[in-house]
Amino acid sequence: MNRPEREATVRRIMDRSVPSVPPELYGEVVRRGGRMLRRRRAARRLLWLLLAAVVVAFVVWALMVQPWVEPPSETTPPLTDW
């Protein structure tokens, strides 16, 4: 298919009338779209809440365990020069 044929085909496609959409379809689409947006919003809020709970749990654990502090030695050092 050469360029003039492609252009003619595109013109024929664009000159066609736009197919009509049934009017009752609009309400159904709006209802489903609203439900989908509410579900996405709820899922996003749930994930943020879960992330916040994980951060709080980590902070509480870190403050209780204090992993940055060197643990106390289990044995006493040997006594020399007594």
Side-chain angles (χ1 to χ4, degrees):
M1 197 179 235
N2 59 15
R3 184 178 176 132
E5 290 175 4
R6 284 187 291 186
E7 289 178 0
T9 305
V10 169
R11 282 195 185 98
R12 276 196 307 272
I13 291 172
M14 292 179 72
D15 286 340
R16 291 184 196 162
S17 64
V18 178
S20 63
V21 178
E24 65 273 0
L25 187 63
Y26 177 75
E28 181 69 20
V29 168
V30 168
R31 186 180 62 79
R32 285 186 183 186
R35 184 176 7 162
M36 186 173 58
L37 288 175
R38 283 190 303 276
R39 284 182 182 173
R40 282 185 185 172
R41 190 180 313 132
R44 199 175 306 126
R45 285 181 181 168
L46 182 65
L47 287 175
W48 277 111
L49 182 66
L50 181 65
L51 178 66
V54 166
V55 167
V56 168
F58 175 76
V59 168
V60 168
W61 171 81
L63 289 174
M64 297 289 284
V65 176
Q66 296 181 351
W68 55 87
V69 175
E70 184 178 330
S73 66
E74 301 273 331
T75 62
T76 58
L79 291 174
T80 56
D81 299 330
W82 218 145

